[in-house]
Amino acid sequence: MRHAAALLLSIALCGCSNTRSELDLRCGPGDAPIVRSDARVVVIRSVTDERVFGRSPSAPNTPSLGFPGTAKSSDEVKARAIGRKRGADGLDSGDVVLQRGQTVAQTVRENIAQAFGEAGYDVRTGADAGPGATFVDVHIKRFWTWFDPGYRTVTMHADIGAELDLSSGNSPISVDVRTAASALAATDRAWLHVANQGLADFRAQAAKLMAARGRPVRGRGCIVEDPTPQPLPSS
């Protein structure tokens, strides 16, 4: 009886099955950043998703996909994948992806643009960059979420890392954040919460690093609700 009860509790904490969850990771509009007339102009020229996916890796923080597996999954699905579900036995039991029309590259681009704005830069497109603009190429090294089961709760994790190459000739900017949040179960809401928190931390660190390279003027960018990790209800 005790073994059966423990198994049921473990399954409940995992909050997952052989399914694929699709999450909407769009940020709210926020307030427009304050841009000075002499602000440095930047253009995000490219964003490349350089994550490497494994085939049923033992470590949950390694990107991988559930059924039909990494090898048989399309590039379109991989571009949207942000997490892997696990069953009570620790084996793959599904995955977490962004909704159709969203990609990890697009999400990172939006958040990098927000961070540049918060750091006091004038973010433009290539068409109206003007002379003297700095072009930025973003290389996504990590963007993944997972959970570690516990006795009564689970710990949700987000790991986001990117390298920004600048045409100005300065050394690249490396942005690396790791976020953890407690939840009663690994529900879709818990996945979304830790992903949003990871992006909030990512933007904050990126803005701080970017401000050190230029003339910082503090503005406000994307608003993420509930920025402090809190235990979440299971439903």
Side-chain angles (χ1 to χ4, degrees), residues 74-85:
S74 67
D75 290 340
E76 186 270 339
V77 170
K78 292 177 183 177
R80 296 191 289 129
I82 64 168
R84 182 184 64 163
K85 297 181 181 181

Side-chain angles (χ1 to χ4, degrees), residues 57-138:
S58 57
N61 62 333
T62 300
S64 62
L65 289 161
F67 182 84
T70 298
K72 296 182 179 180
S73 295
S74 67
D75 290 340
E76 186 270 339
V77 170
K78 292 177 183 177
R80 296 191 289 129
I82 64 168
R84 182 184 64 163
K85 297 181 181 181
R86 292 186 295 162
D89 53 6
L91 299 178
D92 292 0
S93 64
D95 46 47
V96 182
V97 302
L98 301 179
Q99 288 186 351
R100 293 185 183 276
Q102 298 182 27
T103 65
V104 168
Q106 172 193 351
T107 300
V108 170
R109 176 186 287 273
E110 292 170 353
N111 281 270
I112 289 293
Q114 294 274 3
F116 266 117
E118 290 181 2
Y121 288 81
D122 184 0
V123 184
R124 301 184 185 179
T125 62
D128 61 347
T134 297
F135 290 83
V136 182
D137 296 307
V138 182

Side-chain angles (χ1 to χ4, degrees), residues 155-178:
T155 302
M156 308 295 300
H157 299 271
D159 183 12
I160 306 175
E163 187 171 280
L164 283 58
D165 288 333
L166 311 177
S167 65
S168 58
N170 292 334
S171 59
I173 297 176
S174 294
V175 186
D176 295 285
V177 297
R178 293 170 177 83

Side-chain angles (χ1 to χ4, degrees), residues 47-53 78-81 104-105 138-140:
V47 180
T48 307
D49 187 347
E50 300 179 357
R51 297 176 300 163
V52 178
F53 285 77
K78 292 177 183 177
R80 296 191 289 129
V104 168
V138 182
H139 304 271
I140 302 171

